[in-house]
Amino acid sequence: YDCINQNPDVAESVLRNHMWTIEDSAVIICIQDDPHVKVMMAGSTLRKVKSRSWKKQRHFRLLEDGMTIWYKSRWAGRGHSTCEYFSITEVEAVREGHQSEVLLSIAEEFPADLCFTLVFHGRQGNLDLVAESTEEAQAWIQGVRKLIHKTQTMDEKERLDQWVWDWFNKADKNKDGKMNFKEVRKLLKMMNVEMNEEHALHLFTMADKSESGSLEIEQFVHFYKMLTQRDEVWKVFQDFSGDGEKLMLEELENFLRTEQQEGEQSAQHAQELTDRYEPSESAKKQGAMTFDGFQMYLCSQEGSIFKPEHRQLHQDMSQPLSHYFISSSHNTYLLENQLRGHSSLEAYIKALKRGCRCVEVDCWDGSDGEPVVYHGHTLTSKILFKDVISTLKEYAFKVSDFPVILSLENHCSVEQQTVMAQHLSQILGDTLLTTLVDGLIPQQLPSPQELKGKILLKAKKIGGLEVCLDETLTDEVSDEEEMANGECSDDPPKSKLSRELSDLVVYCKSVHFHGFEHARLHGKCYEMSSFSESKAKKLAKEAGTDFVQYNTKQMSRIYPSGLRTDSSNYNPQEMWNVGCQIVALNFQTAGLEMDLNDGLFRQNGCCGYVLKPDFMRDGSTQFSPEKPDGKQGYKPLRLSIQVMSGQQLPKVNQKEGSIVDPLVRVEIYGVPQDQAREETSHINNNGFNPVWNETLNFVIHTPELALVRFVVEDYDKASRNDFMGQFTLPFTCLQAGYRHIHLLSRDGTAIPPSSLFVNISISELT
Ligand SMILES: *[C@@H]1O[C@H](CO)[C@@H](O)[C@H](O)[C@H]1NC(C)=O
Ligand SMILES: *[C@@H]1O[C@H](CO)[C@@H](O)[C@H](O)[C@H]1NC(C)=O
């Protein structure tokens, strides 16, 4: 069995056309003379801090690849010396000084100029470190920042070079800068490839032009290129290339028009793509694209399945807030589960960085008159309300300018509510919206555009915006959220509301829901209600059209059942189907539901707001998710996905010698009629370059609401398949034609160069 291409013509052509050299681009070459990086490579003893009592010295070092940071306990001599490492690509940022809860807790012991924090992508916790001198701390802070910057600004070619360079270093065990056949065989296993020995030797011999019995880095690059040669891409290239060597401008244009369905822009785009992706200067001068350039383009973001223009902020942001889906988190303060989990400011930072625009704060009376945030009546740890607000102030607008809604779950006494109001005003200042944007009583909510840079408080309010009179407090304070949550039945049902706090609420006044009829007659646009997932589900099923209409004017917030103490999530799609804006999920919990949330909000510049389709913005809409064919302009589409191949799929089992049996499943989420899944068969023993070449077909009735999820799993006959990677995107963001899907880990972080290659066609159903 041989899983890689054996076409000698292809391998020959690769050798002939090689213009891909390693020297000028690997990360390390660019930065190895940097003084900070030199310190990192020499290594430093840093104190790793996990808590006030857990502070241990570790020896940290940047490896020769310029990418891997490795550390171990300095004196762990005999016995178990545990060595750990991580890649710079996993690091999102470096914070300087006492900028984490852990470092703040030891602030008196270690001065700020020795302390720094490495923040990782995804859900991985921070690494808090203390250096022995200011110089050393600075070397690591500046050095890591430089390396992060370098990895983020690498182009496709550099990325690929880096990837090859990494593999070479990993496999070159004796560090002689050469790799013999035995090492190469080992490397193939590491790369998730099971290969016929004869064929591997054949490629090895072809690459070993000096006949020395080993490969140097240049030769290894050739070997790698032959190994990763893509037969299916080669065929497509051949179909459009006149001479089989290159694509002339008009040939590329023809490809873009007929296969990639790019229409009129094809001519201009062909020129742009050649300029951007063709590595050979001489081909570029001729206005031609070689096979290398063609592959670079197909593997780039532009050649990906996601429409590039939809990644950018491209939607109308001047409509009322109720016309948008808003990325929203539930129990934002929790990093883990709801019974004994850890409450942390980091959880707010992580959610906000993920584009979340509605955070939740559960407030309780604290000692010393300072309100605290935690999951009431549980063993979750507590954090100070004022610290949460300071964190919000600092991080609210780092990834998006659009407004943040602060959803208050208020369990405090009037006295501490007043303290909360003071903190909100003092810490947030102008950022907190406390007056009407135009001084007028609103007939509809203001827009995200008008509210840019503002934090809106969602809480109970005494009276409405119309009356400034005092009202009795009684019917304002029975909290349907608390009762429906099933969490707080022993709380006094009626407590008083602080006037100061109430005055800070403008457009997001929490009210009890009295039915759609009541809302139609009496509902105000600035009044919003919360629904448990089961209540919302029931309403969606029984009165879908009413719910959609209600959500054109007022906002609704959906929250997970109180029984989900493991912080699991419900399917948000059912709530989006009826136009609910604030569909709050436990951001701390990875899985399908968060994949859908990340997928929906990946469009529109990841700004946390997505404009609902037009049939969900008109107050007299008759749309019902249960009957999508009743909609005006109903036009179902046929989606056909030819799953062609996979590239360098991640290993699920790190055990050496274990090779995966991958399959691809495509899942559609949308209105009930659109829910569907189809999968390919599995390919035995090949996670490196499996070829499926299977077509999966779907009919989509409401494309505007559909999400498409691609999942790769390791087939297991005896038990559940193992998850390998996924990518989810809105149907409306799909690009037709030959496309790569860049896979994400369970945590939602990129795992380059793992990808799928598909051929997508979308047509009207006739
Ligand atoms: C993939 O399938 C198509 C249509 O079924 C066929 O024409 C083509 O030769 C197949 N390609 C490979 C590499 O098997
Ligand atoms: C890709 O899809 C298009 C449109 O359905 C089809 O014409 C083409 O043959 C497909 N490519 C391959 C390699 O099967």
Side-chain angles (χ1 to χ4, degrees):
Y1 173 70
D2 188 352
C3 58
I4 88 143
N5 138 64
Q6 298 206 43
N7 182 343
D9 295 345
V10 181
E12 279 304 331
S13 142
V14 168
L15 280 183
R16 243 191 350 266
N17 293 328
H18 102 268
M19 26 197 74
W20 193 41
T21 55
I22 201 95
E23 294 113 277
D24 51 2
S25 45
V27 165
I28 191 58
I29 310 270
C30 308
I31 43 85
Q32 66 184 356
D33 291 332
D34 181 275
H36 295 137
V37 172
K38 273 188 176 153
V39 172
M40 293 173 66
M41 289 192 140
S44 306
T45 298
L46 304 172
R47 219 175 287 247
K48 177 177 169 184
V49 187
K50 284 194 191 169
S51 69
R52 277 175 89 112
S53 52
W54 198 105
K55 296 164 277 198
K56 297 196 171 150
Q57 289 196 319
R58 294 285 181 267
H59 192 68
F60 281 74
R61 188 160 74 80
L62 174 67
L63 299 191
E64 298 78 19
D65 63 0
M67 290 290 261
T68 310
I69 292 178
W70 168 97
Y71 62 99
K72 70 170 189 181
S73 46
R74 201 178 188 178
W75 296 284
R78 283 139 276 145
H80 60 291
S81 94
T82 49
C83 150
E84 297 181 67
Y85 59 90
F86 57 89
S87 163
I88 289 286
T89 55
E90 295 169 54
V91 185
E92 183 190 297
V94 191
R95 291 192 212 138
E96 214 169 329
H98 296 141
Q99 285 201 67
S100 76
E101 287 159 306
V102 169
L103 290 178
L104 274 170
S105 76
I106 55 155
E108 282 172 14
E109 197 177 342
F110 299 103
D113 57 5
L114 299 183
C115 296
F116 61 100
T117 302
L118 300 183
V119 183
F120 292 89
H121 291 288
R123 292 177 179 80
Q124 195 181 331
N126 294 340
L127 188 55
D128 289 302
L129 298 169
V130 182
E132 283 174 352
S133 70
T134 314
E135 294 70 39
E136 203 148 47
Q138 277 305 312
W140 281 82
I141 292 164
Q142 304 306 337
V144 173
R145 281 184 183 155
K146 244 171 268 180
L147 293 172
I148 294 174
H149 179 76
K150 183 63 203 161
T151 58
Q152 285 173 348
T153 52
M154 281 195 287
D155 62 24
E156 300 299 324
K157 181 169 172 302
E158 287 175 307
R159 238 176 255 286
L160 209 53
D161 288 350
Q162 184 62 45
W163 160 253
V164 178
W165 178 275
D166 288 351
W167 279 120
F168 187 84
N169 277 318
K170 268 187 231 170
D172 179 18
K173 287 274 185 263
N174 56 2
K175 301 286 169 217
D176 62 355
K178 288 187 197 135
M179 233 194 296
N180 60 30
F181 185 62
K182 201 167 145 229
E183 285 174 315
V184 163
R185 248 187 10 215
K186 227 176 162 149
L187 170 71
L188 295 177
K189 271 258 155 59
M190 281 158 69
M191 292 171 98
N192 216 355
V193 54
E194 181 90 63
M195 192 187 290
N196 162 310
E197 176 131 356
E198 205 181 316
H199 183 58
L201 186 59
H202 174 67
L203 292 185
F204 184 92
T205 316
M206 277 174 85
D208 179 21
K209 279 200 265 186
S210 52
E211 297 178 21
S212 65
S214 59
L215 303 182
E216 289 171 19
I217 183 89
E218 273 293 302
Q219 296 166 333
F220 176 72
V221 169
H222 296 168
F223 172 79
Y224 176 82
K225 284 193 70 177
M226 288 189 282
L227 190 68
T228 52
Q229 190 55 54
R230 304 266 306 273
D231 228 356
E232 73 285 17
V233 179
W234 177 253
K235 262 192 200 142
V236 176
F237 183 80
Q238 290 300 313
D239 281 348
F240 287 85
S241 165
D243 66 357
E245 294 274 328
K246 56 191 178 307
L247 289 174
M248 297 309 292
L249 219 44
E250 55 277 18
E251 291 167 345
L252 180 56
E253 183 191 331
N254 186 23
F255 168 76
L256 295 176
R257 200 176 42 246
T258 58
E259 299 295 332
Q260 309 295 77
Q261 299 184 17
E262 290 194 356
E264 290 143 33
Q265 328 156 18
S266 305
Q268 195 195 340
H269 203 204
Q271 181 69 58
E272 287 165 5
L273 292 180
T274 308
D275 291 345
R276 214 166 299 153
Y277 299 106
E278 177 50 48
S280 153
E281 287 304 326
S282 63
K284 228 189 248 183
K285 274 200 199 94
Q286 286 180 54
M289 188 182 254
T290 63
F291 184 52
D292 273 355
F294 188 64
Q295 280 212 67
M296 291 287 182
Y297 151 61
L298 284 179
C299 293
S300 72
Q301 283 300 335
E302 250 177 309
S304 87
I305 190 167
F306 204 106
K307 276 184 192 159
E309 62 274 23
H310 283 206
R311 278 188 189 274
Q312 316 297 322
L313 188 69
H314 71 284
Q315 294 179 331
D316 176 6
M317 300 307 284
S318 63
Q319 303 208 20
L321 279 186
S322 56
H323 288 186
Y324 297 84
F325 296 122
I326 305 173
S327 179
S328 304
S329 102
H330 174 251
N331 283 352
T332 315
Y333 47 89
L334 287 182
L335 278 177
E336 298 150 54
N337 76 45
Q338 309 186 350
L339 292 183
R340 42 190 86 249
H342 189 53
S343 306
S344 167
L345 299 172
E346 277 320 313
Y348 284 92
I349 299 174
K350 289 221 182 263
L352 290 165
K353 286 236 176 117
R354 238 185 158 98
C356 171
R357 295 288 88 186
C358 176
V359 295
E360 192 185 67
V361 183
D362 245 323
C363 307
W364 300 81
D365 277 356
S367 50
D368 319 329
E370 274 299 337
V372 291
V373 174
Y374 79 112
H375 204 55
H377 310 298
T378 65
L379 297 176
T380 60
S381 60
K382 298 173 185 175
I383 45 182
L384 292 179
F385 176 77
K386 62 178 180 188
D387 289 344
V388 170
I389 302 307
S390 300
T391 304
L392 198 58
K393 163 102 176 150
E394 186 173 351
Y395 288 92
F397 303 106
K398 291 241 191 228
V399 302
S400 168
D401 293 336
F402 293 107
V404 170
I405 297 169
L406 173 57
S407 178
L408 213 57
E409 294 277 325
N410 179 2
H411 310 272
C412 291
S413 63
V414 175
E415 294 71 37
Q416 295 214 4
Q417 287 177 36
T418 304
V419 176
M420 284 162 59
Q422 286 161 358
H423 285 321
L424 284 165
S425 308
Q426 281 164 14
I427 297 170
L428 298 179
D430 285 351
T431 310
L432 185 68
L433 186 88
T434 55
T435 55
L436 294 162
V437 286
D438 50 9
L440 301 173
I441 300 302
Q443 296 309 306
Q444 58 178 31
L445 286 165
S447 69
Q449 185 65 35
E450 285 170 288
L451 297 171
K452 259 188 171 178
K454 293 291 181 191
I455 294 176
L456 278 61
L457 186 63
K458 173 199 160 289
K460 286 187 214 82
K461 182 175 178 66
I462 305 168
L465 296 174
E466 291 82 355
V467 280
C468 304
L469 300 167
D470 246 311
E471 288 187 6
T472 51
L473 301 179
T474 44
D475 59 359
E476 301 293 338
V477 287
S478 75
D479 188 338
E480 80 286 353
E481 296 168 14
E482 292 163 17
M483 299 200 299
N485 256 324
E487 292 162 354
C488 317
S489 47
D490 54 344
D491 276 356
K494 293 184 173 114
S495 56
K496 302 260 182 195
L497 201 55
S498 147
R499 163 64 74 181
E500 285 86 344
L501 190 61
S502 161
D503 283 348
L504 301 179
V505 178
V506 185
Y507 292 110
C508 301
K509 173 183 170 177
S510 301
V511 298
H512 189 74
F513 177 70
H514 294 287
F516 293 124
E517 186 58 24
H518 183 272
R520 234 187 317 272
L521 296 171
H522 308 290
K524 305 273 193 282
C525 66
Y526 57 83
E527 293 174 338
M528 58 183 289
S529 300
S530 292
F531 304 84
S532 69
E533 57 172 283
S534 50
K535 176 92 179 281
K537 223 169 144 163
K538 189 159 175 286
L539 289 172
K541 200 153 183 64
E542 291 169 1
T545 305
D546 289 333
F547 213 163
V548 176
Q549 288 184 2
Y550 170 87
N551 281 325
T552 60
K553 177 170 139 196
Q554 291 180 256
M555 294 209 281
S556 54
R557 172 178 165 270
I558 319 299
Y559 58 86
S561 153
L563 300 175
R564 295 184 184 272
T565 50
D566 57 352
S567 291
S568 60
N569 280 313
Y570 56 97
N571 183 343
Q573 183 71 47
E574 293 174 85
M575 317 304 171
W576 293 327
N577 284 345
V578 286
C580 297
Q581 298 85 355
I582 301 185
V583 180
L585 296 180
N586 292 304
F587 268 47
Q588 71 270 34
T589 308
L592 162 67
E593 298 82 8
M594 277 307 295
D595 293 344
L596 296 178
N597 200 72
D598 289 345
L600 176 67
F601 292 103
R602 187 163 285 126
Q603 60 182 320
N604 208 26
C606 295
C607 77
Y609 286 80
V610 165
L611 188 63
K612 297 199 262 182
D614 54 0
F615 55 81
M616 295 190 132
R617 308 195 304 254
D618 162 13
S620 56
T621 179
Q622 291 305 308
F623 175 73
S624 159
E626 298 289 331
K627 295 193 201 63
D629 49 350
K631 168 169 90 66
Q632 244 195 349
Y634 165 72
K635 202 182 269 173
L637 296 176
R638 183 189 296 286
L639 169 65
S640 174
I641 300 172
Q642 186 183 9
V643 179
M644 302 182 75
S645 60
Q647 293 76 40
Q648 285 105 305
L649 301 177
K651 272 189 130 162
V652 271
N653 193 334
Q654 289 303 327
K655 265 200 313 246
E656 235 177 273
S658 75
I659 303 273
V660 297
D661 305 328
L663 64 84
V664 177
R665 188 169 57 245
V666 176
E667 303 169 348
I668 311 288
Y669 296 86
V671 298
Q673 262 193 61
D674 286 344
Q675 301 281 348
R677 48 176 56 195
E678 296 282 336
E679 66 189 34
T680 66
S681 45
H682 65 273
I683 306 274
N684 283 322
N685 282 328
N686 184 359
F688 186 72
N689 57 357
V691 174
W692 290 279
N693 201 23
E694 284 180 54
T695 302
L696 311 176
N697 291 302
F698 301 92
V699 171
I700 317 268
H701 299 272
T702 312
E704 299 89 339
L705 285 172
L707 293 172
V708 186
R709 182 169 184 254
F710 295 84
V711 200
V712 187
E713 287 182 352
D714 180 13
Y715 173 77
D716 196 325
K717 193 163 62 196
S719 61
R720 271 181 71 148
N721 293 348
D722 286 318
F723 173 91
M724 295 175 67
Q726 70 88 31
F727 187 74
T728 306
L729 79 167
F731 177 86
T732 50
C733 299
L734 277 179
Q735 301 207 84
Y738 295 100
R739 303 293 174 184
H740 280 96
I741 299 167
H742 302 282
L743 294 172
L744 303 175
S745 69
R746 178 176 290 287
D747 212 16
T749 51
I751 40 174
S754 293
S755 60
L756 296 176
F757 187 55
V758 295
N759 180 19
I760 295 197
S761 98
I762 299 168
S763 55
E764 281 181 23
L765 198 67
T766 47

